[in-house]
Amino acid sequence: MPLDPELVRRRRRVAQQARADAQWSAHRAARDAAWAEAVAASADWVRRLDRRELLLIGAAIYWCEGGKAKPWRPNDCRIKFVNSDPLLVMLFLRFLDAVEVPVEDRRFRVSIHETADETAAVRWWAARVGVPAESFQPTTIKRHRPLTRRKNVGADYRGCLTVHVVGGTRLYWRIEGIMRGMSNEDPPRDR
Protein backbone atom coordinates (compact mmCIF):
# COMPACT_ATOMS: atom_id res chain seq x y z
CA MET A 1 0.00 0.00 0.00
CA PRO A 2 1.55 3.35 -1.07
CA LEU A 3 2.10 6.08 1.50
CA ASP A 4 0.03 9.24 1.42
CA PRO A 5 2.07 11.87 -0.52
CA GLU A 6 1.07 14.62 1.93
CA LEU A 7 2.26 12.52 4.87
CA VAL A 8 5.58 11.93 3.11
CA ARG A 9 5.99 15.68 2.51
CA ARG A 10 5.17 16.47 6.15
CA ARG A 11 7.69 13.90 7.42
CA ARG A 12 10.33 15.27 5.05
CA ARG A 13 9.71 18.86 6.29
CA VAL A 14 9.96 17.74 9.93
CA ALA A 15 13.23 15.92 9.25
CA GLN A 16 14.67 18.92 7.37
CA GLN A 17 13.69 21.23 10.20
CA ALA A 18 15.34 18.93 12.75
CA ARG A 19 18.58 18.93 10.74
CA ALA A 20 18.50 22.73 10.39
CA ASP A 21 17.83 23.15 14.11
CA ALA A 22 20.75 20.90 14.98
CA GLN A 23 23.06 22.71 12.58
CA TRP A 24 22.07 26.26 13.55
CA SER A 25 21.10 26.05 17.23
CA ALA A 26 24.52 27.13 18.55
CA HIS A 27 24.62 30.05 16.10
CA ARG A 28 21.09 31.12 17.08
CA ALA A 29 21.92 30.97 20.79
CA ALA A 30 25.06 33.09 20.25
CA ARG A 31 23.12 35.55 18.09
CA ASP A 32 20.34 35.84 20.68
CA ALA A 33 22.85 36.43 23.48
CA ALA A 34 24.65 39.12 21.43
CA TRP A 35 21.29 40.73 20.64
CA ALA A 36 20.24 40.83 24.30
CA GLU A 37 23.62 42.30 25.27
CA ALA A 38 23.42 45.02 22.58
CA VAL A 39 19.87 45.96 23.61
CA ALA A 40 20.81 46.14 27.30
CA ALA A 41 23.95 48.20 26.59
CA SER A 42 22.03 50.64 24.37
CA ALA A 43 19.22 51.03 26.89
CA ASP A 44 21.81 51.65 29.62
CA TRP A 45 23.54 54.24 27.41
CA VAL A 46 20.32 56.22 26.93
CA ARG A 47 19.40 56.17 30.62
CA ARG A 48 17.15 59.20 31.11
CA LEU A 49 16.14 61.62 28.43
CA ASP A 50 16.20 65.28 29.41
CA ARG A 51 13.08 67.35 28.71
CA ARG A 52 14.40 68.91 25.49
CA GLU A 53 15.34 65.51 24.05
CA LEU A 54 11.93 64.14 25.01
CA LEU A 55 10.19 67.07 23.30
CA LEU A 56 12.19 66.59 20.10
CA ILE A 57 11.69 62.83 20.03
CA GLY A 58 8.02 63.09 20.97
CA ALA A 59 7.33 65.61 18.23
CA ALA A 60 9.13 63.42 15.69
CA ILE A 61 7.26 60.24 16.58
CA TYR A 62 3.99 62.17 16.52
CA TRP A 63 4.84 63.56 13.08
CA CYS A 64 5.55 60.00 11.90
CA GLU A 65 2.60 58.22 13.54
CA GLY A 66 0.04 60.90 14.38
CA GLY A 67 -2.72 62.61 12.44
CA LYS A 68 -1.86 65.80 10.60
CA ALA A 69 -3.77 68.66 8.99
CA LYS A 70 -4.27 68.13 5.26
CA PRO A 71 -4.53 70.67 2.43
CA TRP A 72 -8.24 69.86 2.18
CA ARG A 73 -8.58 70.10 6.02
CA PRO A 74 -6.01 72.72 6.99
CA ASN A 75 -7.60 73.53 10.35
CA ASP A 76 -7.90 69.92 11.52
CA CYS A 77 -5.16 70.22 14.13
CA ARG A 78 -6.18 67.49 16.54
CA ILE A 79 -3.70 65.33 18.41
CA LYS A 80 -4.42 61.72 17.45
CA PHE A 81 -1.60 59.19 17.78
CA VAL A 82 -2.12 55.58 16.64
CA ASN A 83 0.30 52.70 17.07
CA SER A 84 0.49 49.00 17.93
CA ASP A 85 3.96 49.14 19.51
CA PRO A 86 3.70 49.54 23.30
CA LEU A 87 7.23 51.01 23.52
CA LEU A 88 6.31 53.78 21.09
CA VAL A 89 2.98 54.42 22.81
CA MET A 90 4.70 54.71 26.19
CA LEU A 91 7.29 57.10 24.75
CA PHE A 92 4.48 59.24 23.33
CA LEU A 93 2.78 59.29 26.74
CA ARG A 94 6.07 60.43 28.31
CA PHE A 95 6.08 63.22 25.73
CA LEU A 96 2.55 64.21 26.78
CA ASP A 97 3.75 64.26 30.39
CA ALA A 98 6.68 66.52 29.38
CA VAL A 99 4.35 69.00 27.68
CA GLU A 100 2.05 68.82 30.71
CA VAL A 101 -1.07 67.39 29.07
CA PRO A 102 -3.28 66.39 32.00
CA VAL A 103 -4.21 62.71 32.21
CA GLU A 104 -7.90 63.67 32.19
CA ASP A 105 -7.43 65.24 28.71
CA ARG A 106 -6.23 61.94 27.22
CA ARG A 107 -8.66 59.55 25.53
CA PHE A 108 -7.85 55.98 24.57
CA ARG A 109 -9.41 53.67 22.01
CA VAL A 110 -8.41 50.25 20.69
CA SER A 111 -8.73 49.39 17.00
CA ILE A 112 -8.69 45.67 16.43
CA HIS A 113 -9.73 43.05 13.90
CA GLU A 114 -13.09 41.43 14.54
CA THR A 115 -11.50 37.98 14.84
CA ALA A 116 -9.41 39.04 17.86
CA ASP A 117 -10.30 39.24 21.55
CA GLU A 118 -11.45 42.84 21.92
CA THR A 119 -12.01 42.72 25.68
CA ALA A 120 -8.60 41.22 26.42
CA ALA A 121 -6.92 43.81 24.17
CA VAL A 122 -8.62 46.72 25.96
CA ARG A 123 -7.61 45.30 29.35
CA TRP A 124 -4.03 44.78 28.14
CA TRP A 125 -3.69 48.34 26.79
CA ALA A 126 -5.39 49.80 29.88
CA ALA A 127 -2.81 48.09 32.09
CA ARG A 128 0.02 49.48 29.92
CA VAL A 129 -1.20 53.09 30.01
CA GLY A 130 -2.36 52.96 33.62
CA VAL A 131 -6.04 53.83 33.24
CA PRO A 132 -9.15 51.73 33.92
CA ALA A 133 -10.42 49.72 30.95
CA GLU A 134 -13.88 51.19 31.60
CA SER A 135 -12.56 54.65 30.70
CA PHE A 136 -11.63 53.57 27.15
CA GLN A 137 -13.78 54.82 24.31
CA PRO A 138 -15.72 52.18 22.35
CA THR A 139 -13.46 49.87 20.38
CA THR A 140 -13.13 50.32 16.63
CA ILE A 141 -13.62 46.95 14.97
CA LYS A 142 -11.79 46.30 11.71
CA ARG A 143 -13.74 43.98 9.43
CA HIS A 144 -11.95 40.84 8.31
CA ARG A 145 -11.00 40.57 4.65
CA PRO A 146 -10.69 36.88 3.79
CA LEU A 147 -8.24 37.52 0.94
CA THR A 148 -5.74 39.18 3.28
CA ARG A 149 -3.19 36.92 4.94
CA ARG A 150 -2.58 38.71 8.23
CA LYS A 151 0.40 37.77 10.38
CA ASN A 152 -0.83 39.69 13.44
CA VAL A 153 -3.08 36.99 14.84
CA GLY A 154 -3.19 34.92 18.00
CA ALA A 155 -2.99 35.71 21.70
CA ASP A 156 -0.23 38.32 21.22
CA TYR A 157 -2.31 40.43 18.83
CA ARG A 158 -3.73 43.42 20.70
CA GLY A 159 -4.59 45.79 17.89
CA CYS A 160 -3.62 49.45 17.78
CA LEU A 161 -4.06 52.02 20.49
CA THR A 162 -5.30 55.49 19.60
CA VAL A 163 -4.34 58.29 21.98
CA HIS A 164 -6.40 61.45 21.48
CA VAL A 165 -5.70 64.70 23.32
CA VAL A 166 -8.77 66.80 24.07
CA GLY A 167 -8.19 70.42 23.06
CA GLY A 168 -4.80 69.65 21.54
CA THR A 169 -4.75 72.33 18.82
CA ARG A 170 -2.05 74.46 20.46
CA LEU A 171 0.04 71.37 21.13
CA TYR A 172 -0.33 70.43 17.45
CA TRP A 173 0.95 73.87 16.46
CA ARG A 174 3.89 73.43 18.82
CA ILE A 175 4.71 69.99 17.37
CA GLU A 176 4.57 71.40 13.84
CA GLY A 177 6.94 74.19 14.88
CA ILE A 178 9.38 71.72 16.47
CA MET A 179 9.39 69.65 13.27
CA ARG A 180 9.95 72.72 11.10
CA GLY A 181 12.76 73.81 13.43
CA MET A 182 14.44 70.40 13.28
CA SER A 183 14.18 70.37 9.47
CA ASN A 184 15.31 74.02 9.17
CA GLU A 185 12.12 74.83 7.26
CA ASP A 186 10.50 78.20 7.78
CA PRO A 187 6.84 78.18 8.85
CA PRO A 188 4.29 79.23 6.22
CA ARG A 189 3.25 82.87 6.58
CA ASP A 190 -0.16 82.61 4.89
CA ARG A 191 -2.11 81.05 7.76
Side-chain angles (χ1 to χ4, degrees), residues 119-141:
T119 305
V122 170
R123 281 195 313 266
W124 188 86
W125 279 111
R128 294 298 160 293
V129 300
V131 301
E134 300 77 40
S135 69
F136 270 52
Q137 295 180 324
T139 302
T140 300
I141 301 295

Side-chain angles (χ1 to χ4, degrees), residues 56-66 81 88 91-92 95 179:
L56 296 174
I57 292 167
I61 65 170
Y62 181 80
W63 213 246
C64 294
E65 299 294 330
F81 179 84
L88 209 55
L91 183 57
F92 182 68
F95 166 74
M179 291 306 298

Side-chain angles (χ1 to χ4, degrees), residues 131-170:
V131 301
E134 300 77 40
S135 69
F136 270 52
Q137 295 180 324
T139 302
T140 300
I141 301 295
K142 302 176 191 176
R143 299 290 168 218
H144 179 64
R145 297 182 68 197
L147 298 178
T148 304
R149 292 235 165 146
R150 292 182 26 245
K151 303 284 188 209
N152 55 348
V153 295
D156 289 344
Y157 173 61
R158 296 174 184 101
C160 291
L161 183 68
T162 299
V163 180
H164 176 256
V165 174
V166 176
T169 300
R170 290 193 181 279

Side-chain angles (χ1 to χ4, degrees), residues 3 11 17 23 26-27 38 46 54 57 67 70 73 77 82 87 89 100 102 129 138 143-144 156 178 182:
L3 288 174
R11 286 181 181 168
Q17 186 64 49
Q23 179 181 357
H27 168 75
V46 170
L54 195 51
I57 292 167
K70 306 287 188 228
R73 268 190 342 246
C77 300
V82 182
L87 293 176
V89 169
E100 300 176 355
V129 300
R143 299 290 168 218
H144 179 64
D156 289 344
I178 291 170
M182 287 195 301

